[in-house]
Amino acid sequence: MASLPQPLMALFRDMLRNRRIEEEIARRYADQEMRCPVHLSVGQEAISAGVCLALERKDQVVSTHRAHAHYLSKGGDLKRMLAEFHGKKTGCCGGRGGSMHIFDKDAGMLLSLPIVGSGIPIAVGAALAMRQAGTQDVAVAFLGDAAVEEGIFHEAANFAALRRLPVLFVCENNLYSCYTGLEERQPNLPLERLGIAHGLASSTADGNDASQVFDVATEAVARARAGEGPSFLVFETYRWLEHCGPNYDNDIGYRSPDEFEAWKIRWCKCADAFGRWANWVKLKRCVCAAKSMRRLMPPFNSPSKARCRSLGRSPSMPNTRIISAAAAILEATEQCLEADPRVYLMGEGVADPKAIFGTTLGLAQKWGPDRVIEMPVAENGLTGIAIGSALMGRRPLMVHQRVDFALLALEQLFNNAAKTFFVTGGVHRVPLTVRMIIGRGWGQGPEHSQSLEPLFAHIPGLKVVMPATPFDAKGMLIAAVEDDNPVIVLEHRWMHYATGHVPAERYTTPLTGPERVRDGKDVTIVASSYNVLEAIEATDAMAACGVGADMFDLRVLRPLDIAPILESVRRTGRLVLLDTGWMLYGIGAEIAARATEACFTELKAAPRRLGLPEYPTPSSRGLIGAFYPNSSRVIETVAELIPEAEERLAEALAVVEKRRSTVPVDVPHPAFRGPF
């Protein structure tokens, strides 16, 4: 044994160490001190040991819910991992993640994620960042056999092959997804064919033979460092314990005793001869140390605030001129690319001739394919790739031509972009900006024109902004790109047409709100996005007839600053809310509830909400007239709240309706071209 090469000694010590640690976790799990699910990899240790030995410390690994061995083999700290299982502040995630969320940025364990397939594009994004930074580092995505059934695997693999990125897809094929066998889930084909279909260098090896795993991984890593692209490595293995938990579960009948014994023998043949290299006493002491960790967790960290260089909101800055919101967005994007080499633009259509309604026009030609990436039609996978690159220090600006398309990416946005800062105790930041187009147009219908802002505003960890003017469209986009955590920028399609005063230089406007845009004492009106323009028309018409509205542009939906609105409601006693989306469960409902709670005794009437009715967006011009709230309905609602002003408000309504009668319902109102 003394003549073993040093790499093999390290390899098998690592494999057997991981086995001993997980056996001890299983033994102690019944003590009820580890209050989190554990997915143990007993029987699969050779894969983590062999792959991670082929890596350098600065290479990055993204793992799954079954991550303990990956974490330890990549150099993670055993005591910190065990402290995490016990919910302690000394855990690798400060006790916030449990067994399924463990990481060590310095050791190169980027993340582990419990949603099947979710981490695959994160690793590809890390590889993209490595390529953009010009390093020779490598990323690894560990995945189970079930993950290749997820569409996100294919989306990520396609992009990795397209860009020849330095990433390894390591498939630990243990034959079962929970309790369903591979033969019941997939055709009888070698899994490596899935990699071949995507143009990946693919191979299959014995996942119980650590030296074989090491050899295969070493070759794949060398290919990646040499710029020869990604690999798909399938390692056949078998987990000895139940899917989740510390027990053997052969008695429940989903696998046979003979099958289990056959795989156990295969593992033992590869490992038994090396058992003497494991220092069992030392390992046992490390495991037992977790029992003495009784420190209380500190308060959770608060989400970071955007660090913006605000130049204010005055339209009288030097070099100010009147341009459209679409032009302002284009200018903001150009200036972000120019100011910071870490910024890149990605989206479906960013390089098209129409350039996402003109907002990315000419950028691909000027900045090239590494800074302006025309995205395959793979919303969830590419969003995950953007998140992975953000975790590695890039600042991606992603564009979805319609918010409807972004629905395919909610898993990545809600589970990974929004939660990573919290789960890692503020160690990881996700400086990701996602533009989404909302709102209507001619015949856009139920799946190209929805306003779904409550979905995003519901999720802690996301900032959600809705600019209504060209000034904000530019300043808020730049502030979003500068922010260290994810920002969703929702742009109404018709807002792109609005014109206003916009400085030529680079500036930011704070990602805070709301902003009072009109003063009045009779009623408080709150609107967002394009509906701010509708509300301004109504407010100005009412003011000309002697009814004053205190009107707010909400601007920022999360975090929601309710204080200025409450102060206004206490003075006016009346509140009208104008949603761009559906009224039920909308943003207006939240503000109305908060206002009623805080200002109940000052209210002269119940708050009133305007929004979309309870059916999908119609395409027909004949149907959409009654679908969208507008300035006329705002005036009618105010009249219901102030009966004594009914006659005066009728005059205001007549003025507005006469103006609107000349404009088709499915084109932007020409009066809203600004400047505002």
Side-chain angles (χ1 to χ4, degrees), residues 76-96:
D77 185 89
L78 171 60
K79 289 185 178 181
R80 292 184 66 208
M81 184 183 84
L82 294 172
E84 185 63 33
F85 295 1
H86 288 74
K88 304 303 179 182
K89 71 175 183 179
T90 51
C92 52
C93 291
R96 304 178 185 204

Side-chain angles (χ1 to χ4, degrees), residues 491-506:
E491 302 164 11
H492 197 289
R493 176 71 187 90
W494 283 6
M495 184 271 295
H496 288 159
Y497 292 98
T499 56
H501 298 283
V502 178
E505 63 264 30
R506 186 172 182 269

Side-chain angles (χ1 to χ4, degrees), residues 618-640:
S619 297
S620 166
R621 176 183 284 188
L623 294 175
I624 64 174
F627 187 75
Y628 294 104
N630 56 32
S631 55
S632 296
R633 290 177 61 190
V634 172
I635 296 172
E636 291 170 346
T637 303
V638 173
E640 294 170 2

Side-chain angles (χ1 to χ4, degrees), residues 231-248:
S231 298
F232 180 55
L233 311 180
V234 179
F235 295 113
E236 296 178 339
T237 186
Y238 199 81
R239 59 173 169 82
W240 291 17
L241 302 180
E242 58 189 328
H243 164 68
C244 179
N247 302 311
Y248 289 89

Side-chain angles (χ1 to χ4, degrees), residues 28-51:
R28 291 184 177 272
Y29 193 72
D31 295 345
Q32 297 295 306
E33 293 289 336
M34 289 177 271
R35 301 297 295 163
C36 63
V38 291
H39 298 77
L40 302 174
S41 56
V42 172
Q44 301 181 197
E45 303 89 349
I47 300 173
S48 58
V51 171

Side-chain angles (χ1 to χ4, degrees), residues 14-63:
D14 185 57
M15 183 178 81
L16 296 174
R17 175 200 63 173
N18 292 349
R19 163 63 66 89
R20 182 66 177 119
I21 289 170
E22 290 211 317
E23 286 177 341
E24 190 68 16
I25 290 171
R27 190 177 73 83
R28 291 184 177 272
Y29 193 72
D31 295 345
Q32 297 295 306
E33 293 289 336
M34 289 177 271
R35 301 297 295 163
C36 63
V38 291
H39 298 77
L40 302 174
S41 56
V42 172
Q44 301 181 197
E45 303 89 349
I47 300 173
S48 58
V51 171
C52 290
L53 185 62
L55 301 173
E56 301 292 337
R57 189 171 181 84
K58 59 184 178 177
D59 296 328
Q60 297 294 320
V61 162
V62 179
S63 184

Side-chain angles (χ1 to χ4, degrees), residues 130-149:
M130 294 164 180
R131 172 64 54 79
Q132 291 176 334
T135 72
Q136 287 191 312
D137 300 336
V138 172
V140 174
F142 281 103
L143 55 135
D145 51 279
V148 301
E149 297 154 23

Side-chain angles (χ1 to χ4, degrees), residues 3 11 83 109 177 196 199 202-203 217 300 333 398 407 437 443 445 462 522 532 595 628 651 663:
S3 61
L11 181 67
M109 180 74 175
S177 172
I196 294 170
S202 302
S203 61
F300 289 144
T333 307
M398 191 170 198
L407 294 178
I437 315 300
L462 297 179
D522 297 311
V532 169
Y628 294 104
E651 296 176 16
V663 181

